[in-house]
Amino acid sequence: MPTTTDPPGESRACDVAPVAESTRVLPCHSKRAQRQLRKQEKRARRQPKLQNPSGFQDLPCELMMEILELLRPSDIFALLRVCKALRSLILDNEAPLMRAVTNLRYSVLQRCFLRPVPLQDVSPALRPLLRSPRRPDLQHGHRPQHQHIPPPDPAISCTCLTCVGRWYSLCAVVDFAHWQDHLDKGTPIPQIPRGTFPAWNQELMAENAKIVNRCLTRPLWYARVLEAHLDSTVRSVRRHSQNKADKRAHFRLTEEDVRAGTDAFLERPGASEVVYPFSRDNYYMLEAFLPGRAWIAERQEWAYLSNGQAWHEVDLAMLAKLMLPGRRSKEDPVLPAPSAQKDGNLSRDDLYRHYGSHSRWEKYDVPKCPVIEVTEVWVEDDDLSSPALVETKTIPSLDIDNWLEESPFRCFPGGAYSRALRLVWVGQEGTMKRTSPSTKVLERLAKAWKLDDALDYARSCFAGVSATAPRGETLVFTVAYHPKLVAAWSRPALAPEEPTPETQAIVFAEGEERAELRRILGSKWSAATVRHPMFPALFCGLTLAHGLDNTLEDIKAAVREVEARTGHHRFTSRHQTQPAAGELGQLSAQMSGCAAKLANGTRKMKVVEAINDFIQQHATTSPAELGENTAFTAAEPFSASHIDLLRHRVQMQAVDTAYVQQRVQIQIAALFHLIAQQDNAIAFDAARATHSIAASSLEDSSSMKMLALVAMFFLPGSFVAALFSAPLFAWDEASATGGMGVATKPQFALFWAVTAPLTVLVFALYALWICFQKRRERGSAKDLDAIPI
């Protein structure tokens, strides 16, 4: 085979071509693999949102609700248009969300502007009465007609007098907000001639009615109306504050209040408009339209009307009574209960509800509390003379329903016991410094034990004890002593064949009063005493009596100290330790404080006497006198001897109080005389110093007279010497002639020509000054005489 030889210096080329990379991923068509791939993609999309939320909607619902509660209603309205999910979240939680918003921002406005009751919430038996044209409560001009306020729709809203008033107030708020731009710019509001109904006004009234109708069932719209009225109030306050001619008292509004967006500044003193604006002309001078409240000057605070359905129910009950006089049904809650005692045409329930709307106590508002402090008293059924067992414990707030349903029977080591008393403590605890229970739990307990009206009535009393109107088959009692103690308890009626029911009580007490109540409950009380319905009144009276004893002991100690300082006493065992020289004013103030505490003790003693009389009245009344529904058919443990003992203790306390009061008055009189003597001594020293100053002034006056005589002695010579020393005489010519005559120079006449007029001018100016001063004094005297006394 022939061969070829490569030339020198050259390499031989490769005959094989290089291989190109042409591999690629083959597509996988497995359904299982595709499902796994889709799951991985979903997990990848969800994982970043769980770790790092990218938007508001990625947050948990609880956190979103906490954020929404801080927004204004107008902002929440804007959020409704963001997406369907957020809109559903807000609408599903509209009621609690708006309740939190109004409590935070519009706590004052929501108490002044209550919503009318929707007609669907009214009893079906009363709806035809509200639509009747023959309603007696609207026959005497109670249906006002306004050109700027639409009437309520009877098919949507309740038209009782209370709800109609609420409707008019909300409509006035909406209309007042519509004209704020005109009021800010000074543009006159269009006037409507009498008897005319322009189309623009009809359209505006229809829009206002549509907004208020939405407020009946939509809390969000109601909160939006309150927000609009707060903005109108802020703008009105600014306008009237800048008006120098408006001399009324205005609310103190700062930029911080405006930025906060709340109505807290309305709690300050100011000019509150309680008169309804009957026309748009009243808008010009309307500053803060806040009906339903009034300024109490004695307490320096605002008082609000009852916040609830009380007045609405009273109006419906009165309407049912007038139009259906023969109807008395237990199923209808607005009709008077059969057991309510009547006095003329006024029900006792109405009276208690009326007084309960004016609370003298501070509002109890505890949003959250994890536990409740309760006390249970157990007695042995077989032995009424055996001592009762007292158990004080705390239960979780979430477990309140289970606690209410607990069995009233329990087995203790000593035998079988039944529960005679359930007591819930309200107020601040002594050890944990925590106020319990929460407001919702307290309302739940009061409603379960039928004590809601009784608690409101008790907190409206300054002091006293009463048996409120029975709630069906339950008797209700209250004791109040402001601001130390409030107790309300209920007792179901007792039938002869039934066992003795338990007493259920709610007690507002803190500090020393709560400790004393616990100590009294821990005493060895017999089962018969604990079972009696007046046992809560008994330990409340004993607590107040013990507080009176402590007050008297403190006052006696203070009086002993003052007696030792003043020495005005005849006690041989008491010596004057230190004379009261420079502390008379302090000691007098201390005794005045003791006198005030004695007056408080006298009031407390009167309350204890009233409680004892109340116990006697209900402990000695026979079941026949009390009626069928009575709880006093059991054995009466409060005998005449027990009541006599209580009365005797109060009488002795009255004697001791009068004795201490006399001692305090004696020391006040003694301190008054000592202070008067001290003032007399100071006045005598001042008079002595004045006499010394007068003597010194007399000596100075004598010295001045002597100096004046010396000056008069030397004045002629000095004048002659000064005159002769002047170059006015020709002394040289007189010495040349040697005679006594001295000729004058021409300057001598010039000297008198200048001196004489100047002297006259000086005396004339002095005379004019004296006249001006006298005229000025006469004018001041006339002005003083013109001032009325």
Side-chain angles (χ1 to χ4, degrees):
M1 172 180 276
T3 59
T4 59
T5 304
D6 295 332
E10 293 183 5
S11 62
R12 182 179 176 180
C14 183
D15 298 335
V16 180
V19 179
E21 178 66 28
S22 61
T23 61
R24 61 179 179 176
V25 179
L26 297 177
C28 182
H29 297 286
S30 173
K31 293 183 178 180
R32 181 178 180 182
Q34 291 179 0
R35 287 196 300 269
Q36 294 292 336
L37 183 60
R38 286 195 296 269
K39 290 182 180 179
Q40 291 178 3
E41 291 177 355
K42 289 182 180 180
R43 285 195 294 267
R45 287 196 300 268
R46 283 198 302 263
Q47 193 67 21
K49 293 183 180 180
L50 293 176
Q51 294 180 356
N52 298 316
S54 59
F56 174 72
Q57 301 179 15
D58 299 332
L59 298 175
C61 293
E62 294 80 3
L63 186 57
M64 293 175 65
M65 294 301 297
E66 293 288 341
I67 296 175
L68 291 175
E69 291 175 0
L70 302 177
L71 301 180
R72 292 180 173 87
S74 56
D75 301 331
I76 298 177
F77 263 107
L79 291 177
L80 290 176
R81 298 188 292 269
V82 174
C83 63
K84 291 184 178 179
L86 187 57
R87 180 183 180 88
S88 300
L89 175 64
I90 294 175
L91 295 181
D92 293 341
N93 301 274
E94 182 177 0
L97 177 61
M98 289 302 103
R99 189 182 306 113
V101 171
T102 52
N103 291 336
L104 176 64
R105 294 183 176 274
Y106 317 114
S107 60
V108 175
L109 295 180
Q110 70 176 346
R111 286 182 286 177
C112 296
F113 298 95
L114 302 179
R115 292 185 292 176
V117 178
L119 188 64
Q120 61 185 4
D121 295 342
V122 179
S123 175
L126 295 177
R127 295 176 188 175
L129 303 182
L130 292 173
R131 299 184 181 182
S132 174
R134 297 181 294 101
R135 287 175 54 180
D137 56 342
L138 298 182
Q139 299 298 323
H140 302 285
H142 294 290
R143 188 179 295 172
Q145 299 293 337
H146 306 294
Q147 290 183 326
H148 63 304
I149 299 299
D153 189 354
I156 300 177
S157 171
C158 174
T159 55
C160 68
L161 297 183
T162 299
C163 293
V164 169
R166 296 174 182 177
W167 170 274
Y168 287 149
S169 298
L170 288 177
C171 289
V173 164
V174 177
D175 191 72
F176 184 53
H178 176 78
W179 300 103
Q180 286 301 310
D181 292 337
H182 286 69
L183 296 174
D184 288 340
K185 298 177 182 179
T187 305
I189 299 177
Q191 297 292 327
I192 301 176
R194 184 182 298 274
T196 61
F197 304 95
W200 65 268
N201 187 55
Q202 297 295 324
E203 295 176 359
L204 179 59
M205 291 172 59
E207 290 295 329
N208 295 345
K210 187 185 300 183
I211 294 174
V212 178
N213 281 329
R214 290 173 180 173
C215 293
L216 302 183
T217 56
R218 295 291 304 277
L220 181 57
W221 281 87
Y222 174 64
R224 182 65 183 89
V225 170
L226 297 182
E227 179 188 5
H229 188 55
L230 178 61
D231 179 69
S232 303
T233 304
V234 170
R235 297 166 72 174
S236 298
V237 170
R238 285 180 169 178
R239 284 196 305 269
H240 290 280
S241 299
Q242 296 173 0
N243 186 7
K244 302 301 181 181
D246 191 353
K247 302 300 182 180
R248 296 178 300 173
H250 306 291
F251 286 97
R252 184 170 58 87
L253 181 64
T254 62
E255 292 299 328
E256 290 77 8
D257 298 331
V258 177
R259 288 193 296 269
T262 65
D263 57 2
F265 71 95
L266 295 176
E267 288 286 355
R268 303 167 185 163
S272 179
E273 301 289 346
V274 298
V275 179
Y276 180 78
F278 292 99
S279 65
R280 292 193 177 107
D281 293 338
N282 301 119
Y283 291 168
Y284 295 103
M285 293 302 296
L286 189 62
E287 179 178 356
F289 177 51
L290 300 172
R293 76 170 189 171
W295 177 256
I296 307 301
E298 293 78 6
R299 294 184 293 175
Q300 290 295 306
E301 64 180 6
W302 294 101
Y304 296 86
L305 291 178
S306 175
N307 186 9
Q309 302 296 327
W311 299 109
H312 165 72
E313 294 178 357
V314 169
D315 288 342
L316 292 184
M318 186 62 65
L319 179 62
K321 179 181 177 181
L322 294 175
M323 300 188 69
L324 298 176
R327 181 183 177 88
R328 292 294 183 268
S329 175
K330 291 185 178 180
E331 289 77 9
D332 196 348
V334 302
L335 296 179
S339 60
Q341 299 180 4
K342 300 287 182 176
D343 184 10
N345 295 326
L346 187 61
S347 172
R348 252 175 60 177
D349 290 335
D350 297 339
L351 280 178
Y352 286 120
R353 191 179 297 112
H354 168 71
Y355 287 121
S357 62
H358 305 281
S359 178
R360 294 178 178 268
W361 296 66
E362 296 181 0
K363 182 181 179 182
Y364 186 80
D365 188 9
V366 181
K368 298 179 181 179
C369 186
V371 296
I372 308 169
E373 187 177 6
V374 299
T375 297
E376 296 179 345
V377 181
W378 300 82
V379 296
E380 191 173 359
D381 296 331
D382 298 335
D383 188 3
L384 294 180
S385 61
S386 61
L389 300 180
V390 180
E391 181 183 9
T392 300
K393 59 183 179 181
T394 57
I395 60 174
S397 298
L398 299 177
D399 200 28
I400 183 63
D401 294 330
N402 296 331
W403 179 72
L404 290 174
E405 296 176 0
E406 285 183 356
S407 174
F409 304 100
R410 184 187 296 183
C411 292
F412 286 91
Y417 283 74
S418 62
R419 188 171 51 230
L421 174 65
R422 267 185 168 184
L423 190 147
V424 175
W425 301 98
V426 182
Q428 191 178 55
E429 302 175 6
T431 56
M432 301 296 294
K433 300 297 182 181
R434 176 176 54 195
T435 302
S436 66
S438 64
T439 307
K440 292 184 179 180
V441 174
L442 180 60
E443 293 176 355
R444 171 76 175 86
L445 288 170
K447 186 176 181 181
W449 292 347
K450 301 181 180 180
L451 294 175
D452 42 2
D453 291 339
L455 285 176
D456 292 338
Y457 174 73
R459 284 180 286 187
S460 69
C461 299
F462 197 88
V465 56
S466 64
T468 62
R471 297 290 299 274
E473 303 296 329
T474 303
L475 301 176
V476 183
F477 309 93
T478 62
V479 170
Y481 184 78
H482 185 277
K484 302 292 186 180
L485 177 65
V486 161
W489 68 96
S490 61
R491 178 69 174 266
L494 175 62
E497 66 277 2
E498 295 180 358
T500 304
E502 66 181 12
T503 303
Q504 300 161 339
I506 297 177
V507 177
F508 286 76
E510 296 178 347
E512 298 179 358
E513 285 72 23
R514 180 180 289 195
E516 181 61 21
L517 285 171
R518 286 181 177 177
R519 188 188 67 81
I520 293 175
L521 284 174
S523 303
K524 294 182 179 181
W525 299 102
S526 64
T529 302
V530 175
R531 283 187 178 278
H532 198 275
M534 289 296 103
F535 179 67
L538 175 64
F539 67 70
C540 288
L542 294 178
T543 301
L544 295 178
H546 180 75
L548 178 58
D549 291 336
N550 293 337
T551 301
L552 292 177
E553 289 299 325
D554 295 340
I555 294 176
K556 287 179 183 177
V559 172
R560 293 191 195 101
E561 181 182 355
V562 174
E563 288 174 346
R565 299 292 300 279
T566 59
H568 286 254
H569 62 87
R570 293 288 295 172
F571 297 101
T572 58
S573 60
R574 196 170 304 149
H575 302 285
Q576 186 171 358
T577 57
Q578 182 180 359
E583 303 177 2
L584 295 178
Q586 181 180 357
L587 295 179
S588 179
Q590 185 178 358
M591 286 295 96
S592 299
C594 290
K597 291 188 69 175
L598 278 174
N600 184 24
T602 304
R603 181 188 65 178
K604 187 179 296 185
M605 182 176 58
K606 295 295 183 182
V607 176
V608 175
E609 290 179 355
I611 293 176
N612 293 338
D613 295 339
F614 187 78
I615 293 174
Q616 181 185 14
Q617 176 187 357
H618 289 79
T620 58
T621 305
S622 63
E625 296 175 354
L626 290 174
E628 297 178 355
N629 298 330
T630 177
F632 299 94
T633 58
E636 303 294 342
F638 297 135
S639 62
S641 60
H642 293 151
I643 297 175
D644 291 340
L645 177 60
L646 295 175
R647 289 182 177 276
H648 179 71
R649 292 278 301 183
V650 174
Q651 291 175 359
M652 292 301 101
Q653 285 181 333
V655 173
D656 196 15
T657 302
Y659 166 67
V660 176
Q661 187 174 8
Q662 289 295 329
R663 291 175 60 183
V664 170
Q665 294 297 332
I666 290 173
Q667 293 305 313
I668 290 177
L671 289 170
F672 174 78
H673 291 301
L674 290 176
I675 293 174
Q677 293 177 5
Q678 188 178 23
D679 293 341
N680 292 335
I682 294 174
F684 181 76
D685 293 339
R688 183 182 299 172
T690 304
H691 179 74
S692 176
I693 293 173
S696 300
S697 300
L698 182 60
E699 294 178 358
D700 294 341
S701 177
S702 302
S703 301
M704 293 299 295
K705 290 180 180 180
M706 184 60 67
L707 291 176
L709 290 175
V710 173
M712 290 175 62
F713 178 78
F714 288 101
L715 183 60
S718 299
F719 173 74
V720 173
L723 182 64
F724 285 173
S725 62
L728 302 176
F729 298 94
W731 298 104
D732 296 336
E733 296 177 1
S735 59
T737 57
M740 292 294 295
V742 180
T744 60
K745 293 182 178 182
Q747 291 85 352
F748 183 77
L750 180 62
F751 171 76
W752 291 109
V754 175
T755 301
L758 185 61
T759 302
V760 173
L761 178 63
V762 170
F763 277 95
L765 292 176
Y766 178 72
L768 290 175
W769 174 254
I770 293 297
C771 294
F772 174 75
Q773 289 292 337
K774 290 184 178 180
R775 183 177 298 177
R776 187 175 181 181
E777 291 178 358
R778 287 194 298 269
S780 300
K782 290 181 180 179
D783 294 338
L784 291 176
D785 294 338
I787 296 177
I789 299 178

